[in-house]
Amino acid sequence: MSHDAQVYVRSQTEFEYIKQKRRKDMRNQITTFGIMIFLTLISFTAVAADFSVYLIVPVILLLAAIQVVLQLYYFMHMSEKNHQVVAFFLYSAVMLAFTFILTFLTIIWWG
Amino acid sequence: MDFNKKYTPQTWPDHPEQVTLEGKNKFLGFWLFLGGETVLFASLFATYLALKNKGPSGMEFSTDTLFELPLVFIMTMILLTSSLTSVYAMYHMKNHNFRGMQTWLAITVLLGFAFLGLEIYEFNHYVHLGFTYGQSAFSSSFFTLVGTHGLHVVIGLGWIILLMLRNAKRGFSLYNAPKYYTASLYWHFIDVVWVFIFTVVYLMGVVG
């Protein structure tokens, strides 16, 4: 256990700067949220509009993937520094996830 | 180090969740756990996709007649909004505004309960139609997948409520900052899984 966390007192200028930076980050998060809502709306309207299955399914899967990437990289801060090991854990899991789905589906379709 | 040390907005570190060794370990360990959760949900999704619409001959239930999009749409919006409110909570944690963080977490919890209420209503409705857990391979895989997600919502709600109550009078410290941070990661992960559930189960179910 680390015993000596340094206490650093910011100067007023530094403090104002970092507060402003955080506010800006928060505005970006709200933009991200807006994009996510928009993607969800497109998915639901595409299905409600009754387009061809072969068009809808790839499109809504792509929109879901984009939304999850936004959620992971912005809401869950993976775009920030110090997340290399996190990315390693997550991408290993995603590879396993695809293997599972491929395996189960091929068992059913070709079994 | 002294976990009870009091900080001010001026001295509060940039990444309070990763200052102590315990915080760093929690952060990495929690992401490893989320990797495991991803694999868990992948197996449930794979099972669902393999068994979708499969059941005894003459089964009257199928995804395109069973699911109702308006309810799913409302649930999606509620959960997505609750993800944003927990981002707000973490924003206030960075600014060392304890009351602000607790308020936004309380809103997150309320939205979580709204989501859970709608899910219970939905499951109850299916069971009344005769679409019970043991009715078919399709129903078992559906309830297991969506129910496991619902269980995660319950755990997430319990976790956040306990954190809020336990630390209500303590204020911020480097001891509880990593706890709040991981709880908010967990809540976002619940939304990540739901994005795939509403797409793969409900939307792809309705188009057939």
Side-chain angles (χ1 to χ4, degrees), chain A residues 25-38:
Chain A
D25 287 348
M26 194 60 225
R27 265 204 298 275
N28 289 341
Q29 298 279 39
I30 294 169
T31 314
T32 310
F33 176 73
I35 297 170
M36 284 156 74
I37 292 276
F38 183 63

Side-chain angles (χ1 to χ4, degrees), chain A residues 3 7 10 12 15 18 22-23 30 33 36-37 41 64 71 75-77 80 83 86 93 97 104 108, chain B residues 1 5 9-10 12 14-15 27 31 35 42 47 50 73 77 80 83 88 91 94-95 181 188 191-192 199:
Chain A
H3 288 273
V7 176
R10 295 184 186 87
Q12 193 58 32
F15 185 55
I18 198 154
R22 284 177 193 146
R23 245 198 309 271
I30 294 169
F33 176 73
M36 284 156 74
I37 292 276
L41 283 174
Q71 180 94 239
F75 281 15
M76 293 168 83
H77 312 292
E80 288 172 16
H83 280 70
V86 164
F104 277 49
I108 287 292
Chain B
M1 69 165 289
K5 184 177 164 43
Q10 245 98 349
W12 188 233
D14 264 351
H15 290 279
F27 171 77
W31 271 100
T47 313
F73 181 72
M77 286 300 153
L80 193 55
S83 209
Y88 260 112
Y91 167 70
K94 283 204 157 179
N95 281 331
Y181 187 85
H188 291 309
D191 196 45
V192 165
T199 303

